[in-house]
Amino acid sequence: MLLPSFLHLLLCLVGLLGVAHASNANDKRVEDFFERNESPTSSHTNNWAVLVCSSRYWFNYRHMANALGMYRTVKRLGIPDSNIILMLADDASCNQRNKFPGSVYAHPDRQLDLYGDNIEVDYRGYEVTVENLIRVLTGRMDPSVPRSKRLLTDERSNIFVYLTGHGGNEFLKFQDKEEISAFDLADAFEQMHQKKRYNEILFMADTCQANTLFSQFYSPNILATGSSGLGENSYSHTNDNDIGVAVIDAYTHFVLEYMENINKTSDNSLQDLFSTVATKKLGSNPGVRTDLFGRPLAKTRITDFFGNVAQVEVLPPTGHLQTSANDEEDSYLASSDMDNKQPSLPHNLTSEQSLPPSDAPWWSSLSLLIQDWGKTRAWVAVGSLGLCLAWTLSS
């Protein structure tokens, strides 16, 4: 009799293991289904922007307006000043030739002051150097540098890097004094990759021969675009006769024009942006490099780089009943009489869980078990095993 009883017990164990395996397999199939049907999205948890105007002097007014236009856009879409590094090589707003002191405009109608009253410039004047830009990107800063001047990113950060100024074949000038090359930028991004300082990078340059600046990139998850190809100039868009100089470049103007129709919840893709800008009269051929980027442009939202991530925590539902106004008043009076004392929860319940009311339907009690199906399934298996063992011993 002992051998058949042992076989019965063994069969029960095999059956329970089979049920558990089938349940896990079903859960896995459900997860795989949703993963297959979910559109490719970025896994980033925070957004940063590095905006650089590398040109000095009054006649380069438009380059400062380019950077400030991008600054206004990313702030409007949710990236806070704490996550923006703004580098302006000159301060046209305070130039003595500025007919509108303290202001910078990107259009002759002067309806929008890009400088405004709420602007934080992190690096200005002679602080805007090739060395400082590379240090910002790679995080190799002197301990005395304040946090407001640091790019405090991690492996879950999406970074928008925007450069504007005068450039040439694989270089960008800084203040007519020094240059940063395409190799310098490529190596800086590789250091960032090795140090896990980014999730994805959108690199944008508005300068002559801008597309050559990203020709040497080799690090993964970088999407790059520029305003002009090899041997091409990047042209200004419009002049302001009162200011006396060009006030914005064409490529940046059309990017910002498109971005004015984007808000924090927009689903427009980067493919939409690039396709729209490419149809404009720029006088040059803008380029996009996608071979290092891991997602299709048509499914990469603009706000993945120009906006900010909103973290939402979904809590499990708790059983509760709708109360009437009279019930709420009675509850308030009762709590006052008890000197605002609240009964403590049983030791096996957390603050996120609550006992259902005594007159609640039976399914309210069941909902507590459903909230933690894994534990419920384990106890069912233990109970079934106990029944099988009792039946085996009694036979």
Side-chain angles (χ1 to χ4, degrees):
M1 295 296 293
L2 182 60
L3 182 59
S5 299
F6 176 75
L7 291 177
H8 290 161
L9 178 60
L10 183 61
L11 289 175
C12 290
L13 289 174
V14 171
L16 289 174
L17 291 175
V19 171
H21 177 73
S23 178
N24 291 333
N26 289 334
D27 293 343
K28 185 65 170 61
R29 282 197 294 269
V30 171
E31 292 177 2
D32 291 342
F33 171 80
F34 283 106
E35 288 179 359
R36 286 196 306 269
N37 289 275
E38 187 180 31
S39 60
T41 57
S42 177
S43 59
H44 70 292
T45 59
N46 55 91
N47 287 81
W48 290 74
V50 179
L51 313 175
V52 182
C53 164
S54 64
S55 299
R56 289 186 66 82
Y57 309 121
W58 174 251
F59 56 83
N60 291 319
Y61 180 104
R62 66 187 184 279
H63 295 156
M64 182 174 175
N66 291 345
L68 289 175
M70 289 296 178
Y71 173 79
R72 172 185 173 272
T73 296
V74 296
K75 280 192 66 175
R76 179 178 62 83
L77 294 177
I79 301 182
D81 269 316
S82 59
N83 289 26
I84 301 174
I85 302 297
L86 179 59
M87 308 178 76
L88 299 179
D90 203 350
D91 194 353
S93 63
C94 296
N95 192 294
Q96 60 184 358
R97 284 178 284 188
N98 190 352
K99 191 175 180 179
F100 309 96
S103 300
V104 174
Y105 298 102
H107 197 277
D109 62 12
R110 294 186 291 278
Q111 295 296 313
L112 177 63
D113 181 7
L114 295 177
Y115 206 81
D117 299 325
N118 186 20
I119 180 175
E120 293 185 15
V121 182
D122 301 291
Y123 294 82
R124 66 170 70 244
Y126 289 109
E127 290 182 321
V128 181
T129 63
V130 173
E131 178 184 350
N132 280 342
L133 174 58
I134 293 178
R135 287 188 179 277
V136 165
L137 294 175
T138 59
R140 299 166 63 182
M141 310 291 289
D142 188 270
S144 62
V145 176
R147 290 176 60 88
S148 62
K149 290 190 173 186
R150 296 173 182 261
L151 188 68
L152 303 175
T153 56
D154 54 39
E155 59 185 349
R156 303 297 295 276
S157 303
N158 273 13
I159 309 174
F160 172 48
V161 179
Y162 175 82
L163 305 181
T164 183
H166 290 290
N169 186 8
E170 296 187 346
F171 73 87
L172 174 68
K173 291 198 298 183
F174 273 65
Q175 308 200 35
D176 283 340
K177 180 181 179 181
E178 57 181 348
E179 301 169 352
I180 188 171
S181 71
F183 295 92
D184 296 329
L185 290 170
D187 291 341
F189 287 148
E190 176 60 19
Q191 286 189 49
M192 295 177 69
H193 169 62
Q194 293 183 10
K195 296 169 71 174
K196 297 182 178 180
R197 286 179 56 81
Y198 73 87
N199 175 60
E200 293 173 330
I201 291 178
L202 171 60
F203 176 85
M204 180 179 291
D206 190 352
T207 178
C208 296
Q209 307 187 62
N211 299 347
T212 63
L213 282 177
F214 50 78
S215 61
Q216 302 301 325
F217 290 0
Y218 55 93
S219 304
N221 297 328
I222 298 179
L223 174 63
T225 182
S227 60
S228 54
L230 177 64
E232 296 179 342
N233 293 324
S234 184
Y235 295 97
S236 62
H237 179 260
T238 185
N239 296 330
D240 186 318
N241 293 330
D242 290 327
I243 294 177
V245 292
V247 292
I248 195 169
D249 281 323
Y251 179 79
T252 298
H253 168 79
F254 289 116
V255 170
L256 295 177
E257 183 181 64
Y258 183 89
M259 295 299 297
E260 283 300 304
N261 298 317
I262 303 298
N263 57 48
K264 297 178 182 179
T265 60
S266 296
D267 290 328
N268 299 55
S269 69
L270 287 175
Q271 182 65 59
D272 299 329
L273 171 62
F274 296 151
S275 299
T276 301
V277 173
T279 63
K280 304 298 182 179
K281 187 176 180 180
L282 300 175
S284 60
N285 296 299
V288 180
R289 182 177 176 184
T290 61
D291 59 302
L292 300 173
F293 196 61
R295 295 190 288 151
L297 294 185
K299 295 185 178 180
T300 303
R301 293 180 300 179
I302 292 176
T303 52
D304 284 348
F305 294 97
F306 286 87
N308 196 29
V309 178
Q311 295 294 334
V312 177
E313 182 180 0
V314 180
L315 298 176
T318 56
H320 63 277
L321 295 178
Q322 296 291 336
T323 58
S324 63
N326 292 333
D327 293 336
E328 292 178 355
E329 183 178 358
D330 294 341
S331 176
Y332 172 76
L333 293 175
S335 62
S336 300
D337 294 339
M338 296 180 64
D339 196 19
N340 294 327
K341 292 183 180 179
Q342 296 182 357
S344 59
L345 293 174
H347 70 279
N348 60 338
L349 287 180
T350 64
S351 59
E352 287 80 8
Q353 295 175 319
S354 60
L355 289 171
S358 58
D359 57 345
W362 61 270
W363 55 81
S364 297
S365 300
L366 185 61
S367 65
L368 291 177
L369 296 177
I370 296 176
Q371 290 177 19
D372 198 350
W373 171 239
K375 291 182 179 179
T376 303
R377 188 169 56 190
W379 281 111
V380 170
V382 171
S384 301
L385 179 60
L387 291 176
C388 291
L389 182 61
W391 174 73
T392 301
L393 294 176
S394 63
S395 61

